[in-house]
Each structure stands twice: as C-alpha cells, then as structure tokens.
Amino acid sequence: MPSSPLASLALPHVRGLHAYTPGLQPTGPGWVKLNTNECPYAPSPRVVEALHREIGRDGASLRLYPNPPSRPLRAALARLHGVREENVCVGNGSDDILNLLVRACCAPAAAAGWMFPSYSLYPVLVAIQQGASAVLPFERSMQLPIEQIAASSAQAFFLTSPNAPTGVAFSNAELARVLAAFRGLLVVDEAYAPFAAENAVPLLAAHPRLVVVRTLSKAYALAGIRVGYALADPEIIGLLDRVRDSYNVNRLSQAAALAAVEDPDYYAQVIAKVRATRDAQLGCFAAERGWFTYPSQANFIFTEPRDARGASGPAVARSAYDFLGSRQVLVRYFPSHALTDSFLRISVGTDDEMLVLQDSLDAWLKTPNA
Ligand SMILES: *Cc1c(COP(=O)(O)O)cnc(C)c1O
C-alpha cells in the first residue's frame, strides 16, 4: 500500500493490517436487528439501579479511578462458577481477554491456532502481534478434528464453542480428548455457552492448560458495557494481569456487571426464552422450509436458504440477504468462503421479530429472483 510520510512512522506490519469488521449497527428506526447476536431482551432491572447508584446525584464517584482488578466482580464471578477469585480475570469485553491471551502467548516464533470458520477477531489480534498462525479448516460436517488440533504447533489454540457462525457446540468429552493430546494452551471461547447444553467450566479443575472465556455481551444483554472474563489456573490469570491495562474495566461497567451476575434468576428466564425461540426457529428452517441448518446451541441460527426452485448457493443466500435488508431485516452474510457463502447467520430475536423475519422470507420466495 502507498505509504504517506505520516503512516511511514508506524511499523511496516501495522501499515498492512486489516481492522476487524464488526456487524452493522444501524442508527435509524424500524430495523429488525438480527446481525450481531445481541440479546433481544433488556438487562436485569438491578443493572439500571446499580448504574444510578454508582453515578449518584452528582457523579462524584466518577472522579475516582475504578477498582484496578475489578476485585468485587472477580469475587462474584468466582461464586457464580464455583471457582476461586484467583481463577478469574475481568476484561473490557471478552475481546480484551482474547487480546491479552494473544499478547501473552503469541509471537512470530509462537503460533496461535484456530478453526475456520470461527470468530474472525482471532486473526486480527494475532496479526497486530505479528504472531504466526496455524489455521485448521472445518469440513462441512463441522466435526472437531481432534487429532489435527493435537498435532498443531500452536502455543495457544482458540476454539469457539458453541462455534460462530455455525452454532455447533463441542462436548466436554471432545475437549478433554484435545486437552489430553494437545500441549499448548487451549482457549475455549464460550461467548454462547449459556445457551448450550454443556460448558467447559467443570474441566478447569483437572486441566491447568484450559482457559474458558466468557462475555456479558450475549446472554446478559450487556454488549454496550463491554465486560468479559477468563477462568483459568491462577498462573495464567497472573500472566493476563501482567499485560492488562491497569484500569481496563471502567467504574460503571463494573457496577453494572456485578448487578447482572448477582441476578441469576432473571437471566435464567431470559436464557430459557431465547432457547425456546431458537428451537422453534430451528424447526421453521429445517423441518418446515427444508433448509439445511446446523444444530445450534447458541442464540443464532446458521441456515442455507433455498429459493423457490429449491436451489441453494452463494447467489441464493445473497438474494435472500439483500431482500431482507430491503425490508429492514438485518442478518449476517459471510461471502468470502465456500463453507459460509451459501448461508445466513440469523440472531434469535423476540417472537415478534422472528415473525417479521419468516414473513419476509415468505415474501422473498414469491419474488422473481427467488
Ligand atoms: C460476541 C463474541 C465475542 C465478543 O464478546 P465481547 O465480550 O462483546 O467482546 C467473543 N467471542 C465470540 C465467539 C463472540 O461471538
């Protein structure tokens, strides 16, 4: 790329970086937003109370720096998961945690590994660090290639489970087999685990090379406050604390997250509702429409649209995506790879939003290009 004198002040590899592309966040009214897997329901009312309490009448507390390690939140998360506070590190979103792991473990001589397709932030973080990479492709079955991961030269392997964008989850039995054979750090990115049948937390006690990464952005309806965390052996947590910004989680986010974590009954209802809507939608897509759809354990569905003639493929997925967009129904389309380019990823919204989605797909099937 042509380098201006200003850009030439940066490191050469930085000039060549490509920033992560987040899903669209439309600002106008009227959108049915099913593209970034946010929760369709409000956070716990206790979150709003906690924010008001933290701000107070005049915002005086905002003069002061937040608790540097987010200590009260670490303690609450430890109680939630039945681990010790020394097993928890809190970040500015789980993206911050993933970044800390890459900073701590990845370099030109120490590769990071991940599956494709999975969360597309990993390559961005590793490129910033000039890390080497060991990328393993899924087959269309989306089965976990345990032997290949075990044989990987990666220092740290990032596994998304349930995976994005497919929604397919990997069992603890599979993860235990990976842990038994793979010598590096296994980072299981569990952004969607609250919607799944199983999670890897019970494996932590016996597997010091396992890191479980969680977020409050999806199941806790708090994408806007940016809180995520890692659960791991205290030595790993110590490494993250050495590379972390000392005030990486702001005062309001700590207060909001603490209130959310301390209201499990509220979130059990939210999660049950999202799962019920997801399972009903899986029925709509797979059984009723006959579209190939992965068995999602997340809060989104990855489905391969068929047009009125029964055809599928990139042109069909693109046509459905464009038609939905023209109806202000926003979903996600990943055109750049054969494993994803004939699918749409659709976040689970409210039942009303799902009605609009299904009606819009019916209308698409009646258009000439479908
Ligand atoms: C949404 C998501 C994240 C990001 O979570 P934040 O806490 O909002 O940074 C991490 N990993 C995966 C797989 C995700 O889908």
Side-chain angles (χ1 to χ4, degrees):
M1 81 169 44
S3 254
S4 73
L6 262 185
S8 71
L9 297 173
L11 299 172
H13 85 277
V14 172
R15 282 181 251 147
L17 291 175
H18 296 282
Y20 175 74
T21 320
L24 295 174
Q25 295 288 348
T27 46
W31 286 92
V32 174
K33 193 175 177 307
L34 306 174
N35 69 328
T36 47
N37 303 339
E38 290 136 331
C39 181
Y41 303 106
S44 159
R46 294 194 200 166
V47 168
V48 181
E49 289 163 21
L51 284 168
H52 283 304
R53 211 178 313 120
E54 184 63 37
I55 295 172
R57 197 162 300 161
D58 57 0
S61 79
L62 301 181
R63 295 177 301 112
L64 306 174
Y65 284 103
N67 185 288
S70 310
R71 186 76 64 209
L73 182 52
R74 286 191 198 206
L77 289 165
R79 284 193 296 277
L80 177 71
H81 290 295
V83 299
R84 297 184 326 143
E85 201 180 306
E86 294 74 28
N87 297 112
V88 186
C89 179
V90 181
N92 179 37
S94 61
D95 290 351
D96 182 25
I97 296 289
L98 296 168
N99 190 31
L100 299 179
L101 287 161
V102 169
R103 266 199 224 168
C105 301
C106 305
W114 59 87
M115 299 299 305
F116 185 89
S118 71
Y119 189 32
S120 55
L121 182 70
Y122 312 141
V124 174
L125 298 176
V126 172
I128 292 169
Q129 191 81 357
Q130 284 186 287
S133 55
V135 186
L136 298 178
F138 276 113
E139 312 234 357
R140 192 176 152 102
S141 69
M142 300 295 163
Q143 294 286 314
L144 196 63
I146 294 173
E147 281 74 27
Q148 286 181 49
I149 297 175
S152 159
S153 59
Q155 186 98 356
F157 198 93
F158 292 80
L159 184 67
T160 319
S161 183
N163 195 18
T166 61
V168 174
F170 308 109
S171 69
N172 282 354
E174 289 173 290
L175 298 182
R177 284 171 59 200
V178 173
L179 283 160
F182 171 63
R183 301 250 262 321
L185 201 65
L186 181 67
V187 179
V188 182
D189 183 346
E190 288 199 332
Y192 302 103
F195 306 106
E198 207 179 15
N199 68 72
V201 174
L203 296 176
L204 282 165
H207 296 94
R209 285 177 295 100
L210 170 65
V211 182
V212 174
V213 180
R214 290 288 185 96
T215 178
L216 273 66
S217 295
K218 312 285 166 50
Y220 284 88
L222 289 173
I225 70 156
R226 315 298 307 123
V227 172
Y229 55 98
L231 304 174
D233 185 273
E235 266 193 74
I236 303 288
I237 297 299
L239 297 172
L240 300 183
D241 277 329
R242 266 170 256 178
V243 293
R244 166 177 82 73
D245 290 351
S246 40
Y247 302 110
N248 65 331
V249 182
N250 75 68
R251 195 171 260 285
L252 296 178
S253 295
Q254 288 189 34
L258 186 59
V261 168
E262 290 183 336
D263 196 358
D265 294 345
Y266 176 85
Y267 285 103
Q269 285 177 32
V270 166
I271 290 162
K273 180 64 201 155
V274 169
R275 287 169 66 148
T277 304
R278 174 197 68 199
D279 292 344
Q281 288 295 307
L282 285 171
C284 288
F285 284 111
E288 288 172 36
R289 293 192 187 278
W291 294 3
F292 176 80
T293 305
Y294 285 104
S296 173
Q297 293 209 34
N299 66 340
F300 56 83
I301 285 173
F302 201 52
T303 189
E304 188 173 41
R306 282 181 186 281
D307 66 15
R309 285 171 295 278
S312 57
V316 174
R318 165 77 71 181
S319 164
Y321 174 78
D322 288 342
F323 184 87
L324 290 174
S326 74
R327 292 268 184 130
Q328 284 200 300
V329 176
L330 195 56
V331 301
R332 197 87 193 258
Y333 177 52
F334 301 97
S336 62
H337 195 277
L339 284 168
T340 60
D341 67 4
S342 63
F343 287 77
L344 297 178
R345 192 195 70 189
I346 302 169
S347 307
V348 173
T350 62
D351 289 330
D352 283 350
E353 288 174 319
M354 295 292 106
L355 276 178
V356 174
L357 168 79
Q358 296 294 348
D359 285 350
S360 304
L361 287 170
D362 287 340
W364 168 66
L365 285 167
K366 295 196 180 101
T367 60
N369 336 348

